[in-house]
Amino acid sequence: MGPEVGPGMAAITEPYYEGLVRGELMLQHCKGCDRAIMYPRHLCPFCHAGDLDWVVSHGRGVLHSFTVQRLGEPAGFAEETPYALGVVKLSEGVQLLGRLWPGADGGWDAYTCDAPVEFRPAAAHEARRRPVAWFGPVLR
């Protein structure tokens, strides 16, 4: 379902990718210290416990930084240029890199650093093709 990963990684990343297809943003969770973990690991990076599970994120956070890729796209992204990537710190305390939905005008002028954003899932077929979390400005 998700992208091809190295040996031993599929078991810990597949719940994340499966969640994106279902329209859910999944976070790994340590039962030992009750902390959210991103990116998935075999052991908790905080207390080194191996008793990990998955929880659905609230999906809200703060946009720390973002960039709009207009030129010099990586291989396979030419049809998607321009596009925007952002570093989002979720309310659960973890941060991740995600895509940013363009506004109705096709641009990203609605985004500012330190502004609230929320997870807005891509369609299931798109999540299978490019498994990444998508975010947009918080709708009031």
Side-chain angles (χ1 to χ4, degrees), residues 114-125:
D114 299 323
V117 292
E118 63 187 356
F119 174 68
R120 292 201 200 141
H125 72 276

Side-chain angles (χ1 to χ4, degrees), residues 43-50:
L43 297 174
C44 175
F46 306 107
C47 72
H48 308 290

Side-chain angles (χ1 to χ4, degrees), residues 36-73:
I37 301 166
M38 182 52 93
Y39 292 84
R41 301 170 185 179
H42 292 284
L43 297 174
C44 175
F46 306 107
C47 72
H48 308 290
D51 193 10
L52 307 174
D53 63 359
W54 289 87
V55 297
V56 178
S57 169
H58 297 109
R60 291 203 172 204
V62 174
L63 182 63
H64 277 306
S65 179
F66 71 101
T67 186
V68 178
Q69 181 77 30
R70 298 182 193 283
L71 299 170
E73 68 280 341

Side-chain angles (χ1 to χ4, degrees), residues 69 71-81 83 99 129-130:
Q69 181 77 30
L71 299 170
E73 68 280 341
F77 284 81
E79 293 178 13
E80 298 179 41
T81 305
Y83 61 90
R99 296 274 302 258
R129 186 177 80 83
R130 289 217 195 279

